[in-house]
Amino acid sequence: MNRKKEICSCYHVTKGDIADAVENGAECFKDVKKATKVGKACGKCKKKAKKLTKKLLMKK
Ligand code: FES
C-alpha cells in the first residue's frame, strides 16, 4: 500500500491516515471519518475510503 496516496483531496487524507485511524481503534467507516475528516466535504472520496476501511478492518 502506498501510504502517501491521497484518497480525499478536500481534506488531504491519505491511505496512511486511514490505516492509522484503523490502527488507533476505528471500528467502522464512521470512526475513520471522525478521526480523519475523510468524506466530510464534497463526498466524492467516500466510496474509495469506505472500501479501503473495509479492507483494513478485515486484516485487523
Ligand atoms: S474528496 Fe473527500 S470530501 Fe471531497
Side-chain angles (χ1 to χ4, degrees), residues 6-13 37-45:
E6 197 172 79
I7 295 281
C8 176
S9 48
C10 292
Y11 286 111
H12 306 290
V13 180
K37 284 191 180 163
V38 71
K40 279 197 165 177
C42 74
K44 76 168 193 264
C45 59

Side-chain angles (χ1 to χ4, degrees), residues 1 18 36-37 41 48 58 60:
M1 181 174 87
I18 294 178
T36 63
K37 284 191 180 163
K48 247 197 273 174
M58 268 174 359
K60 230 179 169 183

